[in-house]
Structures are given as structure tokens and as C-alpha cells.
Amino acid sequence: MLKAVQKNATKGDPQSVISAIDHYCRNKEWAMNVGDDKGLILDSVLTEVNPSAALELGTYCGYSTVRIARLLSPGSKLITVEFNPAFAAVARQIIAYAGLQDKVTLVEGPSGDLIPKLRERFGVKSFDFVFLDHWKDRYLLDTKLLEDCGLLQKGTVLLADNVICPGTPEYLKYVRSSPRYESRYYKSNLEYTKLEDGLEKSVFLG
Ligand SMILES: O=C(NC/C=C/[C@H]1O[C@@H](n2cnc(C(F)(F)F)c2)[C@H](O)[C@@H]1O)c1cc([N+](=O)[O-])cc(O)c1O
Ligand SMILES: [Mg+2]
């Protein structure tokens, strides 16, 4: 994927990086990026929220990191968390190739340990936007952790990938039944396939 970006994309042009990854994953080797179909929903929700402090759980190779960072207003920041050092190393290069390294802080390690430290380490008061795309059995745990650490404020938007495929049943049940969230499903398809998948947008009500 990184080679495809270096070969086919233009340095400093985030859209060309996104297109190069989508073309590679559609024609050469599938990969678990949010992809171009769900990516358009991510773009529109992000533009609507226009966050000054955004968090991504699950950097993987940095595809959605680039999608998010390219739309941030000047001075806004994205913190992205990745557990796997090999993926993090690729993501750093892809983010840098897109020229977005000044807007993005990539933090390596497990979310359980890192989330409680985000305030003291990065001076984050709270997040306006959170993109969940990491291990599906951690979505609910980490959402509760974000609540408990006071990192969500009234109006914070959580956007979760893969709520249908591979699926995040407990997370969905929680955000759809809790009086503290206003939740809505955006139907789409699993990246680079015709299978159904979708994003769940949940607004924290405080
Ligand atoms: O399993 C999927 N995604 C899991 C994604 C996992 C990614 O999130 C990282 N992570 C783990 N913990 C953290 C943190 F930050 F919490 F520490 C970050 C992992 O190292 C990995 O890079 C998936 C699978 C399919 N599929 O079709 O099978 C499609 C998709 O879109 C998917 O996202
Ligand atoms: Mg995903």
C-alpha cells in the first residue's frame, strides 16, 4: 500500500494519497480502510462537526487519518491511536506523504492505557469528534472510558465504523438505548465490496 502511494500519489496532495490507496485496495489487495463509499459519509459528518480536537482509535495504515486531517480547520488537531508498531510505522509515512504530519499526533499503544493519559500528555480538555475503527470488541469499553475520563462534552460526535460488518452489537445496543446519546445509522457498504456495512453517528448529550 505504501509503495502504491509513493508511486502513484503526489507528495503533499492528500486527495491523491486517498485515491491511490482506494485504487490499490480495489484492484490489487483488499485492506480494512474505511474506504471511499463510507469515506464520503465520514467526510460529510466531519465537515458538519468541524472539530478543533478530534480522536481516532485505530490508525491502521492512516487512510482515515488522512481523510480526517485534510478536512480540519487551521489550528485543529487529530490524535490517532495505534496498537501495532508496524502499522504505525506505515501510517506515519503515509500521513507525512500527504503533508499532514503537523495536524496529526500518532500515539502508539493500547487504548486502555492511553485514553486516561491523553489530557495530561496532550493538554486535551475534551474531544469534539471521535472516529472508532479499532478492535470491534473495544468500541464499548473505550467509549465508557472516554466518558469516565471526562473526554466527551455535550455535543461530542462519535462516528463508529463497521457496525454491521464485522459488527459491534454491544456498542450499538448501548449508544442506541442510552439516554445520554442521540444515535443514527448511515447505511453504506463494506469497503471495496458490495456487502452491507455502515457508520453509526452518536451525539453525546452530556
Ligand atoms: O477488524 C477490523 N478492524 C480492526 C482494526 C484494528 C486496527 O486498530 C488497531 N488498534 C487496536 N487497538 C487500538 C487502540 F487504538 F485502541 F489502541 C488500535 C490495530 O492495531 C489495527 O491496526 C475491520 C475488519 C473489517 N473486515 O471486513 O473484516 C473491516 C473493517 O473496516 C475493519 O475496521
Ligand atoms: Mg473499519
Side-chain angles (χ1 to χ4, degrees):
M1 192 189 299
L2 177 58
K3 285 197 191 69
V5 167
Q6 291 163 337
K7 181 164 170 283
N8 305 318
T10 308
K11 228 172 169 9
D13 174 357
Q15 191 52 56
S16 73
V17 170
I18 291 164
S19 305
I21 293 173
D22 284 331
H23 186 268
Y24 178 78
C25 293
R26 199 175 276 284
N27 301 297
K28 296 281 184 313
E29 185 190 14
W30 186 91
M32 58 184 178
N33 315 121
V34 72
D36 39 0
D37 299 329
K38 290 184 287 179
L40 288 174
I41 301 167
L42 168 60
D43 290 357
S44 67
V45 171
L46 200 91
T47 306
E48 172 199 327
V49 177
N50 187 27
S52 46
L55 172 68
E56 174 180 59
L57 297 177
T59 317
Y60 185 42
C61 294
Y63 174 88
S64 47
T65 319
V66 168
R67 283 203 86 110
I68 294 167
R70 87 192 201 285
L71 295 175
L72 292 178
S73 303
S76 299
K77 290 277 177 204
L78 169 63
I79 295 177
T80 182
V81 189
E82 176 49 51
F83 176 78
N84 180 315
F87 292 154
V90 169
R92 287 188 200 285
Q93 295 175 79
I94 287 182
I95 294 159
Y97 200 88
L100 295 167
Q101 64 284 354
D102 296 345
K103 291 175 172 286
V104 177
T105 305
L106 197 161
V107 194
E108 288 182 43
S111 48
D113 301 358
L114 289 171
I115 287 173
K117 296 188 179 116
L118 291 177
R119 180 172 290 114
E120 80 197 62
R121 281 181 58 178
F122 302 103
V124 173
K125 202 176 53 55
S126 61
F127 291 105
D128 315 300
F129 178 84
V130 182
F131 183 55
L132 298 99
D133 192 21
H134 59 324
W135 292 320
K136 308 315 159 195
D137 60 0
R138 286 224 47 119
Y139 281 28
L140 181 51
L141 262 170
D142 289 337
T143 297
K144 289 183 169 173
L145 190 52
L146 286 165
E147 287 173 13
D148 298 344
C149 295
L151 287 167
L152 304 183
Q153 63 188 18
K154 195 170 168 5
T156 297
V157 169
L158 304 186
L159 190 64
D161 189 26
N162 311 116
V163 295
I164 303 300
C165 176
T168 62
E170 317 80 54
Y171 173 79
L172 268 193
K173 198 156 91 315
Y174 178 73
V175 289
R176 289 177 175 176
S177 60
S178 163
R180 302 182 79 186
Y181 290 93
E182 184 58 47
S183 214
R184 169 186 166 180
Y185 175 62
Y186 290 78
K187 182 178 158 87
S188 183
N189 50 281
L190 182 69
E191 51 265 28
Y192 319 117
T193 76
K194 292 190 170 24
L195 299 170
E196 181 181 344
D197 189 22
L199 302 173
E200 187 82 0
K201 175 191 167 192
S202 308
V203 184
F204 184 60
L205 302 174

